[in-house]
Every structure is written in structure tokens, then in C-alpha cells.
Amino acid sequence: MGDIIDFFLGNPFLIIILIGIVSSMLGRKKQSQQSDAPNGPPKKKWQDVMRELQGEGQGNQQQGPAPAPVRKVEQQAPQAAEIIDETKNEANQRIAELRRLQQKYDQERLYQKAKADNIASAISDNRSPVYRKGPSFGKKQLIDGIIMSEVLGPPRAKRSLQRSRK
């Protein structure tokens, strides 16, 4: 017995593992005690719930344990109707607000589009000092221009080498 204790004391890693195992066992025990505690409503299995629902659907032919007293449907109906009316009113108000915002957004969008069209038409006007149609070059014209600048320009030997490196 003393050899086992000396072995465990000589290996602190094993002591840490044993402490972890013991604490996890105690933690599981506490969790099971807490789940059995009557603090919350009792948990039912889904099979029990299905049996209760089937029993209600069959006209309560089977006499089982009586459920806890609940407000009768007659008492809940007026409250439910009031809640439904309130939610409908709130929904209608939200819908009306959304429609109003959508109309406002559409008007602003149309205004901005008309403003942009006016600016574009003013710029594309040939008489406007802001807009001048520049020359349009294609790929072929640019290549021909580079070749002609080499042909008509000074000879390569007279050009400085450093200027071409930059």
C-alpha cells in the first residue's frame, strides 16, 4: 500500500489526472441531483405528451390522471381576441409606415435620377465649355503613331541612354 502511495506522489501528472476524474464524477452527481430538484416544472417524455394529446383528441375516453387546473377556454377567448386585435393593429400601423417610407424613397430616387439626367445632358451638350469630344484612337492608330515617332525622331545613337532608362 505504501508503494502505491509513493508511486503516485512521485508522479504529479498522475495526481492531476486522478483529481480530474474525481471532480468530474462529483460534478455529474451534482448535476443529476439538480435535475431531480422540484424547482422547475416536471419534465415529461415526448411519449407521455403524445398519449395526452391523443387522449384529448379521442374525447377523453381514457380516464387518466387529471391535469393541473388551467384556465378554461372561455376565460382565455376574450383575452386572445384582444391580443389578436392589438397585434393586427400594430401590424397594420407598421405596414402603413413601411409603405410611406417606400413612397418617400421612390420619390427621392426619381428626383436623384432626374437630377443626374439633367447633369448628363448638360455635359453631353456639344456647345458646353465643360464637355469637349476628344480624339478617339484605336489600337491600330496608336501602334502606327509609335512607329512613326521612331522613324521621324532623332537617331538612337544621338539620344541619351539615361533618358530611356527612366
Side-chain angles (χ1 to χ4, degrees):
M1 184 74 175
D3 294 334
I4 295 174
I5 294 174
D6 290 336
F7 175 73
F8 283 120
L9 291 177
N11 295 318
F13 185 69
L14 290 176
I15 293 173
I16 293 172
I17 292 174
L18 287 175
I19 290 173
I21 292 171
V22 171
S23 66
S24 70
M25 285 183 194
L26 292 176
R28 287 184 189 161
K29 186 175 181 182
K30 286 182 182 180
Q31 287 178 353
S32 65
Q33 289 175 353
Q34 288 177 354
S35 65
D36 294 340
N39 292 344
K43 294 184 180 179
K44 295 182 181 180
K45 293 183 180 177
W46 66 272
Q47 292 94 347
D48 296 336
V49 173
M50 290 301 292
R51 278 191 222 121
E52 288 177 9
L53 290 175
Q54 288 175 354
E56 290 175 5
Q58 295 174 357
N60 293 332
Q61 293 173 356
Q62 300 174 351
Q63 292 294 332
V70 181
R71 283 192 247 162
K72 294 183 180 178
V73 176
E74 295 85 20
Q75 293 173 348
Q76 292 178 349
Q79 293 174 353
E82 290 174 9
I83 292 173
I84 290 172
D85 290 339
E86 289 175 6
T87 53
K88 282 183 181 179
N89 290 338
E90 289 176 8
N92 289 336
Q93 289 174 353
R94 288 181 183 168
I95 290 171
E97 180 68 17
L98 287 174
R99 285 184 181 152
R100 187 184 64 77
L101 289 173
Q102 182 67 33
Q103 288 175 351
K104 186 177 178 182
Y105 171 75
D106 290 340
Q107 289 174 351
E108 183 66 24
R109 187 172 49 98
L110 290 174
Y111 173 73
Q112 292 295 334
K113 185 176 180 184
K115 192 175 176 182
D117 289 343
N118 287 339
I119 292 172
S121 66
I123 290 175
S124 66
D125 188 14
N126 290 334
R127 294 171 288 155
S128 173
V130 176
Y131 179 76
R132 284 185 145 175
K133 189 170 185 175
S136 61
F137 296 111
K139 189 176 182 181
K140 177 96 171 104
Q141 287 90 9
L142 289 175
I143 292 172
D144 290 342
I146 292 172
I147 292 172
M148 292 306 290
S149 70
E150 289 291 327
V151 170
L152 298 174
R156 178 79 177 117
K158 288 192 173 183
R159 284 188 264 166
S160 71
L161 184 60
Q162 292 181 4
R163 187 178 75 177
S164 65
R165 285 189 180 175
K166 291 181 181 180

